[in-house]
Amino acid sequence: MIRKIPLIKEYRIQKLTKCLECFDKFAYHREKQRDCVLELYPNTSNKTLEHREKSIFRGMVIPSLRYLGLIIGFGDIIKPSANGKLIIESQFDNELYERCWRAIICEIDKRTFNFLEIIKQRKFSKNDLIEVLSDQIEGASFKQKKERIEKWLSILHQVGLIEYPMGISLNENNYKQVLLDIDPDLKNFERFCECVIGEYYKLSKSSAGIVDIRELREAVALMFLKERDILTEEQFDHLFRKFISTTPYLHISLGEPMGADQKLFEYKGKFYKTIIMTRKEVLK
């Protein structure tokens, strides 16, 4: 199957992390976000602010973070997604930070690129691998496809999922670990349910009971992170579907978005943005 893959223009992991911090520190303040991001890129050619905003902020950083699913929102309302918050908040421990990046990138690879499935078959020279991969992706030219492939291979290498010496191959130890980290069925489901209910009621106090599922994702993920456990958005959604269908003492109402939106929760073929939970005893 021929796949369409994005061009990740800013593919340096540490730079992406710093950019994410700007969007987090100045959430909903676009000019401050822009200025913070542009400070990370020295203006060596004396370009105008307008040019740098167009080429760096809007042309490179925002699309890259969006392709990686690390930000949500548009225009003046941009902030880190739950996965983005995992990256930011895991930095208190370098090993945990690396595992978070690895988990998020591995899920994206499985969903969009599928490079790891090919690389784990055998060791490749870089040129041979690019030839193999280029036959499986869309692109106007080999040069265009090569650039997209090389950027994603660089990301896989930076997060420690592949190794480069003497050709390109899987980092077996890290790959085994990441498969454990991203498996929702290995998570403590009872603990997940406790976190969902606890964080829902915290969030609902200031919103008349209506909670944005994206905020709930983030809150629960950060609770797991405190216990050195990684709960990505994909895992949350998998477990949340199970929670909805197996929690008999709660009445759960899901709300659809009013218009186009991002990172919505999918349940039984429909997309939802908000949730209201009420104990069934209260409804009697």
Side-chain angles (χ1 to χ4, degrees):
M1 185 178 80
I2 303 298
R3 297 183 308 281
K4 184 176 182 178
I5 66 171
L7 171 62
I8 312 295
K9 293 183 179 179
E10 178 52 270
Y11 59 98
R12 294 167 293 179
I13 294 300
Q14 293 305 319
K15 190 74 82 173
L16 287 165
T17 300
K18 292 296 182 184
C19 290
L20 259 182
E21 290 174 348
C22 290
F23 285 97
D24 188 44
K25 183 178 180 180
F26 301 110
Y28 307 129
H29 295 281
R30 186 178 177 87
E31 288 188 5
K32 291 182 179 180
Q33 290 174 337
R34 176 201 63 195
D35 293 344
C36 180
V37 166
L38 293 182
E39 284 181 10
L40 301 172
Y41 297 86
N43 188 8
T44 55
S45 303
N46 294 318
K47 301 288 187 182
T48 64
L49 176 61
E50 183 181 6
H51 183 278
R52 281 163 51 76
E53 177 178 2
K54 182 179 179 181
S55 62
I56 297 173
F57 185 67
R58 290 190 284 119
M60 179 173 70
V61 171
I62 288 179
S64 298
L65 291 173
R66 202 180 301 287
Y67 280 136
L68 295 172
L70 299 176
I71 56 172
I72 55 174
F74 297 95
D76 296 331
I77 310 175
I78 297 178
K79 69 171 189 173
S81 65
N83 278 353
K85 288 292 284 187
L86 275 183
I87 297 297
I88 294 166
E89 299 299 331
S90 64
Q91 292 181 85
F92 69 89
D93 181 283
N94 191 56
E95 188 261 346
L96 189 60
Y97 167 73
E98 291 176 355
R99 282 173 56 206
C100 284
W101 260 118
R102 208 169 287 143
I104 291 166
I105 294 303
C106 186
E107 286 183 340
I108 295 171
D109 188 81
K110 285 176 177 291
R111 202 165 54 238
T112 305
F113 291 83
N114 204 42
F115 286 10
L116 292 173
E117 278 298 310
I118 294 169
I119 294 170
K120 75 180 185 181
Q121 295 172 13
R122 64 180 175 89
K123 184 178 287 188
F124 290 85
S125 71
K126 186 175 181 181
N127 288 339
D128 284 347
L129 180 60
I130 289 173
E131 287 283 351
V132 170
L133 294 173
S134 68
D135 289 337
Q136 301 186 26
I137 65 172
E138 289 184 10
S141 66
F142 177 76
K143 181 180 179 182
Q144 183 189 84
K145 292 193 282 186
K146 183 172 183 285
E147 181 184 11
R148 291 170 186 246
I149 291 167
E150 288 182 328
K151 295 283 176 68
W152 190 248
L153 288 177
S154 176
I155 289 174
L156 292 176
H157 181 245
Q158 288 175 73
V159 301
L161 284 168
I162 62 173
E163 298 176 320
Y164 276 170
M166 304 297 290
I168 296 175
S169 59
L170 211 60
N171 183 315
E172 297 287 352
N173 290 334
N174 286 344
Y175 187 64
K176 288 176 184 176
Q177 178 62 55
V178 80
L179 292 181
L180 298 176
D181 283 338
I182 66 174
D183 187 345
D185 295 325
L186 295 180
K187 295 295 185 284
N188 184 330
F189 184 62
E190 185 177 330
R191 175 62 178 150
F192 175 82
C193 294
E194 290 173 358
C195 288
V196 165
I197 294 169
E199 294 306 306
Y200 168 81
Y201 283 112
K202 287 180 188 176
L203 292 167
S204 67
K205 287 179 181 178
S206 60
S207 61
I210 303 172
V211 171
D212 190 319
I213 296 171
R214 296 171 301 185
E215 292 184 16
L216 188 59
R217 275 196 197 113
E218 178 184 318
V220 174
L222 295 182
M223 288 296 292
F224 270 70
L225 192 66
K226 289 178 182 177
E227 299 166 12
R228 301 182 61 80
D229 204 353
I230 297 168
L231 186 75
T232 61
E233 294 173 7
E234 267 192 36
Q235 293 178 80
F236 174 92
D237 286 9
H238 176 91
L239 294 171
F240 198 46
R241 293 183 193 103
K242 183 178 177 181
F243 169 83
I244 291 171
S245 61
T246 61
T247 308
Y249 56 87
L250 289 174
H251 177 78
I252 297 173
S253 177
L254 299 172
E256 297 182 41
M258 299 297 288
D261 221 324
Q262 297 176 296
K263 297 277 187 175
L264 298 174
F265 171 65
E266 184 179 0
Y267 185 65
K268 294 185 177 179
K270 296 185 73 174
F271 290 91
Y272 299 96
K273 183 177 181 179
T274 60
I275 182 170
I276 299 175
M277 294 197 296
T278 313
R279 291 191 178 276
K280 286 187 176 178
E281 291 81 2
V282 176
L283 299 178
K284 290 180 180 179

